Every structure is written in C-alpha cells, then in structure tokens.
Amino acid sequence: QVQLVESGGGLVQAGGSLRLSCTASARAFSGYPMGWFRRDREFVAAIDWSGDSTYYADSVKGRFTISRRNAKNTVDLQMNSLKPEDAGVYYCAVQIYNRASLLSPVSYDYWGQGTQVTVSS
C-alpha cells in the first residue's frame, strides 16, 4: 500500500521559515523520485531517488531546499524567507511508474493529502 503523509505546515509571518516533511510507506519511497507541489498542483521542488539531483521552481529557488532522509522514508522541504504568495496547501508526491519530467504533476503516481501553509504579511 502506498501512503504519503505530510506534516509541518502552519502559520508564519512573512520572512519566516517552515520545514515540511513527507513520510512515505517503504513501498512508496525506496528508489523513487519525489516532489513537492502546492495549491493547484503548482510545481515547487523535486528530488531524484538518490538525493543527488534537485529541481526548483524559479519562484522558490534560493529560498527553499528539498532533501531526503532515506533511513526515515522522509523527504523534507525547508522553506525560508517565506512570502504571502507562498501560502497554500502543499502536497508531496512520488513517481513510481512514470518516467517523465519531475516538474510536471502528471508524472507523479501517488499524492499525500496536503498540509496548509499560511503566511501573514
């Protein structure tokens, strides 16, 4: 069974930081690329299976960092210098069957339920 559970969302002032985590069942994590999206499946960041390659939307580059902790079946998104426009529901996703672009939501096979990020100005 494939399960993804996000955590770490909350309310933060503009300029602040949050760290989102996505914990996956072993079946969903081992050896697969993972990504973070927000709102209406807008690409935020992605990481390959090894953690050696990462990808970011231009709007978050330099502020957000994606990483994975394979021993914990977890992928994290460290978000710094948050802006009001970063607010929304953040989703993690895993690409198991597809082999298409990691930047496209249609390339991902399973999704978490999402975690809310609110940024006050």
Side-chain angles (χ1 to χ4, degrees), residues 68-87:
R68 61 193 301 157
R69 293 179 279 155
N70 288 340
K72 297 287 188 180
N73 288 355
T74 297
V75 61
D76 300 308
L77 184 69
Q78 177 66 43
M79 306 187 296
N80 299 328
S81 302
L82 282 161
K83 305 174 181 180
E85 52 263 43
D86 293 318

Side-chain angles (χ1 to χ4, degrees), residues 7-108:
S7 62
L11 171 65
V12 64
Q13 287 188 331
S17 299
L18 281 176
R19 186 177 183 88
L20 305 184
S21 294
C22 174
T23 299
S25 55
R27 168 70 177 87
F29 188 84
S30 179
Y32 300 118
M34 298 191 73
W36 283 97
F37 294 79
R38 64 187 180 190
R39 299 190 289 263
D40 190 21
R41 300 300 192 262
E42 172 191 346
F43 172 73
V44 175
I47 189 166
D48 73 348
W49 67 273
S50 67
D52 290 340
S53 295
T54 56
Y55 310 86
Y56 297 94
D58 288 342
S59 58
V60 308
K61 204 170 292 184
R63 300 187 297 121
F64 291 11
T65 302
I66 188 171
S67 60
R68 61 193 301 157
R69 293 179 279 155
N70 288 340
K72 297 287 188 180
N73 288 355
T74 297
V75 61
D76 300 308
L77 184 69
Q78 177 66 43
M79 306 187 296
N80 299 328
S81 302
L82 282 161
K83 305 174 181 180
E85 52 263 43
D86 293 318
V89 178
Y90 281 68
Y91 303 90
C92 70
V94 62
Q95 185 187 82
I96 294 179
Y97 307 113
N98 277 295
R99 292 296 181 266
S101 168
L102 292 181
L103 278 62
S104 173
V106 300
S107 301
Y108 290 79

